[in-house]
Amino acid sequence: MSAGYEVAVRAEAALGEGPTWDPAGGRLLWIDILGSRVHTYEPGSGRRTVRVTGQHVGAVKPRVGGGLVLNLRDGVALLDPDDTFRWLRHEPVPGRRANDAAVAPDGALWAGTMRYDEAPGGGSLSRITGDGAAHTVLDDVTISNGTGWSPDGRLMYYVDTPTRRVDVFDHRDGRISGRRTLAVVEDGAGFPDGLTVDADGCVWVALWDGAAVRRYTPGGDLDRVVALPVPRPTACAFGGPDLTDLYITTAATGLAAPPPLAGSLLVVPGAGHGAAQPAFAG
């Protein structure tokens, strides 16, 4: 078990989520889902920005031509480099919101949803291409969360949080098959939430109510635990110029007495070696 965390951004996010390194901007993107805010943080200068989205936002990712793609409550939207907002897919469903999302090696967005009441099977995972075409990949999901790919793109890792599992699929040409379990988080250790895959193919997963981030090898062995000062870390991603710093988002929501750093953005310098993440091809 190791710690070594620092506070990158002291904040009071209700549900901080989705850290993503934007190499073109030299910045980290992250969100507050329930606060309807997109945050940016430039570690080199310390500069920060906050944008209010107007509705709950589940994820934000950079786009190939600049700007951002947003997984929002009512669908997937684009923010152009000139700050123009437009819907790529507008499909509101009463009682449903967006959750975590990730960009696949081919530039498609894999966007998750869930019910506000967390009804079993009420969420989904969809693959959305740059032209807005969508295909539902998984339709019996409760809380669609961490999604990531092996460095060679042949495996996809996925978390439906209440299952307590990190699952792995074979991935080819935008399709997945052969679902099996990589790891199970035992009772009392929290619930798997957001994840990232490093350059060695190891899976780092944040544990909601577990006060830690774990690293699992491609064979499913637990080989590292990063202990944290907050009970609800939500997601993690490598960032910085060399992709060696592990950024971790955290949440304060639902805690009767949130500790001082709940809702802040934490970082573990020199935690490992991340893999470069593609931008959305739209």
Side-chain angles (χ1 to χ4, degrees):
M1 180 173 288
S2 61
Y5 66 86
E6 299 176 1
V7 181
V9 176
R10 188 176 291 270
E12 297 180 352
L15 185 51
E17 263 284 7
T20 301
W21 182 250
D22 176 12
R27 61 184 183 171
L28 190 88
L29 309 172
W30 61 288
I31 59 167
D32 179 357
I33 293 178
L34 300 179
S36 303
R37 285 168 168 78
V38 172
H39 296 258
T40 71
Y41 167 63
E42 298 175 14
S45 65
R47 181 175 181 267
R48 297 169 52 193
T49 68
V50 181
R51 179 188 178 93
V52 178
T53 58
Q55 61 176 254
H56 291 161
V57 53
V60 59
K61 305 294 174 184
R63 295 164 55 198
V64 167
L68 303 172
V69 59
L70 307 172
N71 193 27
L72 292 167
R73 181 196 66 200
D74 293 344
V76 174
L78 302 177
L79 192 64
D80 291 334
D82 65 1
D83 224 27
T84 300
F85 176 93
R86 54 196 171 97
W87 288 105
L88 182 64
R89 290 192 65 85
H90 188 235
E91 43 188 358
V93 176
R96 189 186 76 176
R97 70 166 174 86
N99 210 44
D100 207 352
V103 179
D106 63 0
L109 182 74
W110 291 56
T113 65
M114 60 176 284
R115 299 283 303 181
Y116 277 100
D117 62 5
E118 300 182 10
S124 65
L125 179 68
S126 297
R127 177 179 181 268
I128 301 165
T129 56
D131 60 2
H135 169 70
T136 300
V137 181
L138 297 173
D139 61 2
D140 186 19
V141 174
T142 300
I143 301 178
S144 187
N145 250 314
T147 307
W149 286 263
S150 60
D152 63 8
R154 298 175 62 182
L155 300 174
M156 190 191 87
Y157 299 96
Y158 179 69
V159 167
D160 181 0
T161 292
T163 68
R164 292 188 177 271
R165 301 191 314 265
V166 179
D167 287 342
V168 56
F169 297 79
D170 297 312
H171 173 258
R172 182 175 181 181
D173 299 329
R175 298 184 179 276
I176 53 175
S177 61
R179 186 173 191 167
R180 63 252 188 214
T181 299
L182 176 78
V184 177
V185 177
E186 66 275 15
D187 287 351
F191 294 83
D193 201 327
L195 63 78
T196 192
V197 184
D198 67 22
D200 296 322
C202 294
V203 179
W204 300 69
V205 58
L207 300 184
W208 176 275
D209 282 340
V213 171
R214 288 183 174 183
R215 185 175 100 148
Y216 291 96
T217 68
D221 296 322
L222 174 61
D223 75 342
R224 186 172 176 187
V225 178
V226 179
L228 297 169
V230 293
R232 291 185 166 175
T234 57
C236 53
F238 283 95
D242 300 321
L243 296 178
T244 56
D245 301 329
L246 186 71
Y247 286 90
I248 303 164
T249 48
T250 69
T253 186
L255 297 174
L261 294 179
S264 293
L265 176 69
L266 307 179
V267 61
V268 182
H273 296 279
Q277 300 298 299
F280 178 57

